[in-house]
Amino acid sequence: MKSKTVVIFAGSMLLTLLLGGGGTYWWLQQQGGVAALSSPLREPVAAAEPATPKRYLTLDKIIVMLREAGQDELHYMSIDLVFRTDNEQQAQVKEQLPLLKSIAVRALSQLTRTQAAAMNVDEFQALLLQHYSAAYRKDQQPQPFSDVLVSKLIVE
């Protein structure tokens, strides 16, 4: 009786393997044969080039006086900026922090208190980036940072 059980078990295993192999063969034929295994949809996605690590340099405590037309009372604005750059240009941005501060003061001092209070952070960033881009174009130099971010803003 034991030998019959072994034969039945072995036969059922063989039948399972044959059915599995036959099903796999049929599926591959439906998908376009063995070439389907190497189709572009099945190829691994090529690794993207590694992004250069970003560096962030801060320029703190830029204080600008804001005047209001027809008022003697002075108001002020305090802003901290962060410049996004990469490893290669980090030193250049550090060297140019006094220039970057001067450009920011020049751009922001043109605002009145009402204008500054009505602006959001994105508008300040766009205004500053516009002035930085214009200054670097005027000097015919490449801009050593990719973005300017506002990390603190007080309008009083």
Side-chain angles (χ1 to χ4, degrees), residues 37-97:
L37 293 177
S38 63
S39 72
L41 295 177
R42 300 194 189 279
E43 287 182 13
V45 177
E49 290 184 27
T52 58
K54 297 293 180 191
R55 298 287 182 217
Y56 297 90
L57 297 168
T58 60
L59 179 56
D60 294 335
K61 296 181 179 91
I62 300 173
I63 299 174
V64 178
M65 299 304 289
L66 302 171
R67 297 190 184 269
E68 194 66 46
Q71 292 184 2
D72 291 336
E73 186 178 342
L74 292 176
H75 299 277
Y76 73 93
M77 165 190 210
S78 176
I79 191 168
D80 292 353
L81 302 178
V82 177
F83 296 93
R84 186 182 323 178
T85 187
D86 55 24
N87 283 337
E88 292 82 29
Q89 296 176 324
Q90 183 177 2
Q92 187 178 2
V93 173
K94 279 183 182 179
E95 291 172 0
Q96 294 181 4
L97 285 177

Side-chain angles (χ1 to χ4, degrees), residues 6-22:
V6 171
V7 169
I8 291 173
F9 180 74
S12 63
M13 291 300 290
L14 182 62
L15 183 60
T16 303
L17 287 172
L18 286 173
L19 287 174

Side-chain angles (χ1 to χ4, degrees), residues 89-129:
Q89 296 176 324
Q90 183 177 2
Q92 187 178 2
V93 173
K94 279 183 182 179
E95 291 172 0
Q96 294 181 4
L97 285 177
L99 171 67
L100 297 173
K101 186 173 187 174
S102 173
I103 294 169
V105 168
R106 192 175 330 122
L108 296 173
S109 65
Q110 297 172 8
L111 300 173
T112 64
R113 184 197 176 283
T114 306
Q115 290 172 326
M119 292 173 68
N120 63 31
V121 172
D122 293 332
E123 292 170 332
F124 278 106
Q125 287 178 198
L127 175 71
L128 290 168
L129 195 56

Side-chain angles (χ1 to χ4, degrees), residues 120-156:
N120 63 31
V121 172
D122 293 332
E123 292 170 332
F124 278 106
Q125 287 178 198
L127 175 71
L128 290 168
L129 195 56
Q130 176 186 2
H131 281 269
Y132 287 131
S133 297
Y136 280 99
R137 272 194 313 272
K138 180 181 171 189
D139 292 342
Q140 297 178 348
Q141 293 181 5
Q143 186 171 291
F145 55 91
S146 61
D147 201 7
V148 60
L149 310 168
V150 174
S151 63
K152 181 169 73 171
L153 174 66
I154 299 171
V155 178
E156 193 157 314

